[in-house]
Amino acid sequence: MATGQKLMRAIRVFEFGGPEVLKLQSDIAVPIPKDHQVLIKVHACGINPVETYIRSGTYSRKPLLPYTPGSDVAGIVEAVGDNVSTFKKGDRVFTTSTISGGYAEYALAADHTVYTLPGKLDLKQGAAIGIPYFTAYRALLHSARVKAGESVLVHGASGGVGLAACQIARAYGLKVLGTAGTEEGQNIVLQNGAHEVFNHREPNYIEKIKKSVGEKGIDVIIEMLANVNLSNDLNLLSYGGRVIVVGSRGPIEINPRDTMAKESSIIGVALYSSTKEEFRQFAAALQAGMEIGWLKPVIGSQYSLEKVAQAHKNIIHNSGTSGKMILLLE
């Protein structure tokens, strides 16, 4: 190792497996930014379910081992590569991707995945924007092609992506319905854009939604847990309605006939299928939301680097989330 090389604490994964494979190390070299790269001193990093799938080795994209998880960091620019002109040391920023991994004291990111964080939002909120808001925006505007005046049900609305979807849908003129599993979750959903909220733990909640929306049904459903809800979703849709699958944790049996009379669609969404141009478009819309004030991330549980294995357990096994789970490095 070069003398005088700065060292940092970071989580490293040497083999795929359960949460216990997340190892905290304190002798990792701080990366040096080259060309179009930005080095960020990380204040907070969003924890997303996809990071648990990648860690377990079951996800379609497998990183080369060893690696550091995490894509959504917020912090202060520490240094920039020679070809970076949009950022300078001291800027407050957030990312949608990192090169070196976000569960660390410093993270390297390509400049086109780094965005200025407006003064209205703190750095914790900055770490809650990346995957949740860009996914929710892609699901609503790109995949579902929502129009003002349509109705949307956010099925599982109290977590990071769910609250983002409620805020965006409300800002774009939709009638917003949400579901949550706790009273606290329901209140947060109502405070963040939903016109109505339902408790998805009540056995008859689907009937309550049907009663609320009447004969017409729901135009768009943003679905966080398709392996549980997809069959019910198809019955709730309007003519030409669409279910956007944001999350699924296993198989489910559906009757394809349920799509026929309504000519409805089931559409999957994956944020990382977005082109650079689409990311730019999403970022412009979300940046406006931050400036106007409708984009306001809600922070849920917060963990230190030492507790990251517990965070990975909780994000999958604790139902009734409220707000966005983050890793706090300060």
Side-chain angles (χ1 to χ4, degrees):
M1 184 175 289
T3 50
Q5 172 94 56
K6 254 177 103 176
L7 300 179
M8 66 174 181
R9 297 160 75 233
I11 297 294
R12 300 294 279 164
V13 175
F14 293 90
E15 59 178 327
F16 297 115
E20 69 283 354
V21 303
L22 298 161
K23 304 290 185 201
L24 176 55
Q25 300 202 310
S26 51
D27 58 351
I28 303 298
V30 174
I32 294 163
K34 298 196 270 295
D35 299 339
H36 287 280
Q37 295 173 349
V38 178
L39 181 69
I40 299 159
K41 186 178 194 314
V42 179
H43 179 90
C45 180
I47 299 175
N48 295 288
V50 70
E51 286 138 32
T52 70
Y53 311 147
I54 294 169
R55 183 214 70 227
S56 68
T58 57
Y59 194 62
S60 54
R61 291 184 301 134
K62 278 195 182 70
L64 289 171
L65 295 167
Y67 78 99
T68 295
S71 60
D72 300 355
V73 305
I76 308 295
V77 173
E78 179 76 11
V80 297
D82 295 339
N83 298 329
V84 175
S85 55
T86 32
F87 301 102
K88 61 184 187 310
K89 184 176 165 72
D91 287 350
R92 298 168 84 247
V93 294
F94 70 95
T95 66
T96 50
S97 179
T98 66
I99 296 163
S100 61
Y103 294 11
E105 291 177 325
Y106 292 88
L108 201 58
D111 60 359
H112 70 273
T113 65
V114 180
Y115 307 90
T116 300
L117 184 66
K120 282 186 181 177
L121 299 183
D122 64 32
L123 289 164
K124 288 183 193 178
Q125 290 175 304
I129 298 167
I131 286 179
Y133 280 85
F134 282 73
T135 299
Y137 190 91
R138 183 172 179 82
L140 285 161
L141 278 299
H142 177 273
S143 307
R145 296 187 171 88
V146 294
K147 296 183 187 73
E150 285 191 314
S151 57
V152 61
L153 169 67
V154 182
H155 216 156
S158 63
V161 183
L163 291 170
C166 290
Q167 291 176 3
I168 295 166
R170 184 64 180 257
Y172 278 77
L174 282 95
K175 182 181 184 206
V176 185
L177 293 80
T179 77
T182 64
E183 194 176 335
E184 182 199 8
Q186 286 177 273
N187 289 335
I188 287 174
V189 170
L190 282 175
Q191 286 156 18
N192 285 281
H195 293 91
E196 279 185 82
V197 68
F198 302 87
N199 184 341
H200 52 225
R201 292 198 183 152
E202 286 180 7
N204 64 336
Y205 86 99
I206 295 289
E207 291 312 310
K208 287 186 175 174
I209 295 173
K210 278 185 175 160
K211 202 170 167 185
S212 168
V213 298
E215 283 297 291
K216 184 182 182 302
I218 295 165
D219 299 309
V220 173
I221 299 177
I222 304 294
E223 183 50 70
M224 308 302 165
L225 199 58
N227 54 300
V228 173
N229 300 322
L230 189 56
S231 185
N232 281 330
D233 289 344
L234 293 177
N235 289 307
L236 285 169
L237 287 177
S238 63
Y239 178 79
R242 46 266 187 229
V243 179
I244 311 297
V245 179
V246 170
S248 186
R249 294 185 181 168
I252 182 174
E253 189 171 306
I254 62 165
N255 184 349
R257 186 170 283 283
D258 292 341
T259 65
M260 290 163 65
K262 292 176 177 175
E263 297 199 324
S264 57
S265 318
I266 302 167
I267 303 168
V269 67
L271 177 58
Y272 288 99
S273 297
S274 311
T275 62
K276 258 190 195 180
E277 191 40 57
E278 285 166 350
F279 263 105
R280 260 199 290 273
Q281 181 197 326
F282 304 163
L286 295 172
Q287 209 87 42
M290 293 178 226
E291 288 159 15
I292 295 162
W294 58 254
L295 193 161
K296 286 196 298 278
V298 178
I299 302 304
S301 44
Q302 303 173 33
Y303 295 83
S304 64
L305 275 180
E306 288 79 4
K307 296 278 193 295
V308 71
Q310 191 57 49
H312 269 221
K313 282 193 193 97
N314 293 352
I315 200 164
I316 296 301
H317 299 297
N318 285 15
S319 48
T321 38
S322 305
K324 174 77 185 118
M325 184 184 284
I326 63 165
L327 202 55
L328 207 52
L329 282 110
E330 290 298 296

